[in-house]
Amino acid sequence: MLEFTSMHLEVKHLKLVQAIQQERSITNAGTRLHLTQSAVSHQLKEIEDRLGTPLFVRTRRDVQLTRAGERLLNSAAVVLHELQRAEEDIAEIAGTPRGTVRISTQCYTAYHWLPSLVKRFGAKYPHIAVEINVDATYRAVDAVLEGGLDLALTNEKSEHDRLRYRAVFDDELVAVVPDSHPLAAREFLRAKDFAEESLLVPSVLTNSYFYHHFLQPASVMPKKWVSVPLTEAIIAMVTEDMGISVVARWIVQPYLKSHGLRAIRISKKGLYREWWSVMLNRGTTPKYLDDFVTLMSSHVPANLA
């Protein structure tokens, strides 16, 4: 006769630990799980009593995982992901695929074309919800590992046995300057050309592909840089000669002629990014998730012309 060892943890406990880590707050985790703060604290104490060790350390600003908490969180991501996929696979077997694609990207500019992609995807999969998580933009890959996202779009590929990458598309980064700017006549720009400029960028400069693959290898830092997430704001500020910018060519192309701007290649050969989709490396992936990536590959290049 087979004997089964009793389990100390339940699915609700795994969801609680994952929510606390992702929200960095017991109160916010409660809101997400539709529980009161006292109920969350009670459940967390119950888990820690059962396991005989604390999972979180409370600080003034947030809560931090202990070593035991990190181990449980890794298992929670795997178990909850498998349960979700099992439900979705069964629904697909039954002929009514249902589920959710939770996605984020490493760059704000990608959110310009995601809505139209979601619309096309919804026409094929009306019962699959797509959630775009803007808050995870700066840590999209980490959110995939933690189970908070099903799919991330990134231009930085790193080897990890729990992640699966798939090439999606390439785009080119260009410098954008007013027609009257001293650099406007250049065929291309070198790293040193940015040293005395005020740079307007969509996200944190030191987190950007442009910085890591162009400025940093040349040990160059602009005189000043400002993060401006809105493309329209960047265009307006460059037009008023408040600085120059570096953005994807496809996103600035429609504004060049009407705003008196010029797009200049970065380096003689140009600076190109390769974008990757990344998801957890599971044995099976729902067909609709693979179809979403395939649709992304065919949809995005049309926007890059």
Side-chain angles (χ1 to χ4, degrees), residues 160-229:
H160 197 295
D161 57 4
R162 290 184 57 212
L163 297 176
R164 177 161 64 92
Y165 288 84
R166 177 175 164 186
V168 180
F169 64 90
D170 297 337
D171 67 357
E172 181 188 8
L173 292 175
V174 294
V176 184
V177 304
D179 284 338
S180 59
H181 196 281
L183 296 176
R186 299 283 188 88
E187 182 181 350
F188 63 90
L189 298 184
R190 299 178 174 86
K192 65 181 182 180
D193 293 322
F194 291 89
E196 297 301 318
E197 299 295 331
S198 294
L199 191 61
L200 310 167
V201 287
S203 58
V204 178
L205 176 63
T206 50
N207 291 340
S208 69
Y209 187 94
F210 170 65
Y211 176 76
H212 287 293
H213 293 265
F214 189 69
L215 293 183
Q216 189 177 42
S219 300
V220 170
M221 179 63 77
K223 178 177 64 177
K224 176 183 177 183
W225 68 268
V226 179
S227 176
V228 185

Side-chain angles (χ1 to χ4, degrees), residues 6 41 49 65 68 73 102 118 161 171 300:
S6 61
S41 297
D49 287 346
L65 283 167
L73 181 67
R102 300 164 301 166
V118 170
D161 57 4
D171 67 357
V300 175

Side-chain angles (χ1 to χ4, degrees), residues 1 11 48 67 86 89 101 107 117 198 213 243 276:
M1 177 182 292
V11 171
E48 293 177 332
R67 184 179 175 185
D89 288 346
V101 177
C107 181
L117 174 64
S198 294
H213 293 265
W276 306 81

Side-chain angles (χ1 to χ4, degrees), residues 104-108 111 133-141 153 203:
S104 190
T105 86
Q106 270 193 333
C107 181
Y108 279 111
Y111 296 119
N133 188 337
V134 178
D135 293 338
T137 297
Y138 292 124
R139 53 186 308 276
V141 176
L153 188 64
S203 58

Side-chain angles (χ1 to χ4, degrees), residues 9 12 40 58 62 70 95 102 125 129 139 183 188 207 220 239 244 251 274 294-295 298:
L9 299 176
K12 68 176 183 180
V40 173
R58 284 75 165 175
D62 59 9
E70 290 177 356
R102 300 164 301 166
Y125 290 100
R139 53 186 308 276
L183 296 176
F188 63 90
N207 291 340
V220 170
T239 302
I244 67 173
I251 201 168
E274 186 167 17
T294 299
L295 183 62
S298 62

Side-chain angles (χ1 to χ4, degrees), residues 6-165:
S6 61
M7 303 292 292
H8 294 292
L9 299 176
E10 303 171 31
V11 171
K12 68 176 183 180
H13 295 146
L14 301 181
K15 289 182 176 179
L16 180 69
V17 171
Q18 188 179 76
I20 293 174
Q21 169 62 12
Q22 291 172 358
E23 298 292 340
R24 307 285 180 174
S25 162
I26 289 178
T27 301
N28 293 344
T31 301
R32 173 170 161 180
L33 298 174
H34 307 290
L35 297 171
T36 63
Q37 182 174 347
S38 60
V40 173
S41 297
H42 177 76
Q43 279 196 30
L44 180 58
K45 184 177 185 303
E46 179 183 33
I47 303 170
E48 293 177 332
D49 287 346
R50 290 187 182 188
L51 295 176
T53 186
L55 300 176
F56 293 93
V57 175
R58 284 75 165 175
T59 67
R60 288 185 178 182
R61 294 185 175 181
D62 59 9
V63 290
Q64 300 289 334
L65 283 167
T66 62
R67 184 179 175 185
E70 290 177 356
R71 176 64 183 86
L72 182 57
L73 181 67
N74 289 336
S75 293
V78 174
V79 172
L80 294 175
H81 184 271
E82 284 301 318
L83 285 174
Q84 178 188 349
R85 293 301 177 228
E87 292 178 0
E88 293 167 359
D89 288 346
I90 292 169
E92 190 166 347
I93 292 170
T96 55
R98 297 178 182 275
T100 302
V101 177
R102 300 164 301 166
I103 183 172
S104 190
T105 86
Q106 270 193 333
C107 181
Y108 279 111
T109 56
Y111 296 119
H112 285 259
W113 51 259
L114 264 179
S116 60
L117 174 64
V118 170
K119 184 177 180 180
R120 290 183 60 186
F121 179 77
K124 183 175 182 179
Y125 290 100
H127 300 296
I128 305 295
V130 179
E131 298 177 359
I132 300 174
N133 188 337
V134 178
D135 293 338
T137 297
Y138 292 124
R139 53 186 308 276
V141 176
D142 287 340
V144 171
L145 285 169
E146 294 170 4
L149 293 176
D150 300 295
L151 177 67
L153 188 64
T154 177
N155 50 48
E156 298 287 352
K157 183 182 179 183
S158 60
E159 296 301 324
H160 197 295
D161 57 4
R162 290 184 57 212
L163 297 176
R164 177 161 64 92
Y165 288 84

